[in-house]
Amino acid sequence: MISITYISKETLPFGSIDLLKLLDQCHKNNSSCGITGMLIYGNGTFLQCLEGESSAVEQMLEKIKSDARHKDFKILSNIKIQNRLFSKWNMGFERLTEKSVVDKPGLQKFEYQNFNANYLIENSLAADKLLSRHRSENSDPVSMEVDARDKLIFELRHALATAHHQNEISSLLIESLLASSQQNIKSSAHIDLCRNVLKNMQGC
């Protein structure tokens, strides 16, 4: 298996509805291809890690590169892995904000405006730390000899990660419904989109 991390910039500003469409598409595509990973969006920038069988990830990456919704595509890392680092997520998601980036472990000096291609290419450790907070790794207790306390800590970390992911998606759903109301969008397609995303979230 391989893990590829890339960074790119939005072509046009992404609103909550645009993000929901993107996440719904990621969930459908990744599920059918056996791909897992994590997507972080903020400051008009996408940071995404995809992992799975080499052929599946490389084919998916070619599709992503040609997507007109983003530009300035650059690969940050391409490594071979034996175990998935985001095994819990068909596509985990975090929307980075000025508030959420404060006091992150190992990122005390990292600022919201640093979330861009130029900075993260030169500071790859920062990109790795941003992603590592969502990994379901650090060793699965099933495959290690650990005591009951370590198992509980692992389970609590996963529960917190799942809750955080669901909060992110819930916020997007609420914002998109408010946006559609303000823009007077009366589309069954948008309602179907929200229902699909909600269903995927509940399946986490």
Side-chain angles (χ1 to χ4, degrees):
M1 292 192 297
I2 62 172
S3 171
I4 296 180
T5 300
Y6 75 85
I7 193 164
S8 64
K9 185 177 181 179
E10 63 187 8
T11 305
L12 296 173
F14 261 60
S16 55
I17 297 176
D18 301 307
L19 286 170
L20 281 180
K21 289 179 179 178
L22 176 61
L23 290 173
D24 186 50
Q25 180 182 359
C26 287
H27 180 85
K28 291 175 180 176
N29 292 341
N30 293 352
S31 297
S32 63
C33 298
I35 292 175
T36 52
M38 183 71 200
L39 171 65
I40 300 178
Y41 168 80
N43 194 32
T45 300
F46 299 98
L47 175 66
Q48 184 170 25
C49 177
L50 298 173
E51 58 187 15
E53 295 302 323
S54 300
S55 57
V57 173
E58 289 169 354
Q59 287 176 20
M60 184 62 67
L61 210 62
E62 287 302 311
K63 292 181 181 179
I64 291 173
K65 286 170 65 175
S66 63
D67 194 321
R69 291 174 293 184
H70 68 158
K71 58 185 179 181
D72 301 337
F73 179 96
K74 294 182 177 66
I75 292 179
L76 298 183
S77 68
N78 184 343
I79 59 173
K80 292 183 178 180
I81 57 173
Q82 291 190 354
N83 300 305
R84 294 176 186 266
L85 302 179
F86 300 97
S87 59
K88 305 297 182 183
W89 314 117
N90 286 123
M91 184 46 57
F93 174 71
E94 177 184 11
R95 182 168 45 168
L96 209 64
T97 64
E98 291 187 20
K99 183 178 180 180
S100 69
V101 81
V102 175
D103 296 329
K104 295 293 185 186
L107 291 167
Q108 285 80 4
K109 296 182 179 180
F110 185 83
E111 298 181 359
Y112 179 70
Q113 57 265 32
N114 294 143
F115 192 68
N116 63 72
N118 291 335
Y119 182 90
L120 293 176
I121 288 172
E122 294 180 4
N123 299 272
S124 58
L125 184 59
D128 186 65
K129 286 186 177 295
L130 284 165
L131 290 165
S132 67
R133 297 176 296 118
H134 302 280
R135 287 174 182 157
S136 46
E137 37 112 0
N138 294 338
S139 338
D140 190 330
V142 173
S143 61
M144 293 184 61
E145 294 183 0
V146 294
D147 61 24
R149 183 181 64 178
D150 291 330
K151 287 183 179 180
L152 179 58
I153 290 173
F154 179 89
E155 291 168 2
L156 287 171
R157 283 176 175 168
H158 174 58
L160 287 171
T162 300
H164 178 78
H165 173 76
Q166 291 179 334
N167 284 339
E168 292 280 9
I169 303 301
S170 296
S171 295
L172 275 181
L173 285 168
I174 292 170
E175 288 176 25
S176 75
L177 289 170
L178 290 173
S180 64
S181 177
Q182 292 171 352
Q183 298 169 26
N184 198 28
I185 298 175
K186 298 179 180 178
S187 168
S188 59
H190 178 247
I191 297 299
D192 290 340
L193 169 65
C194 290
R195 290 190 185 282
N196 284 339
V197 172
L198 180 61
K199 181 179 179 181
N200 294 337
M201 181 186 76
Q202 292 172 335
C204 290

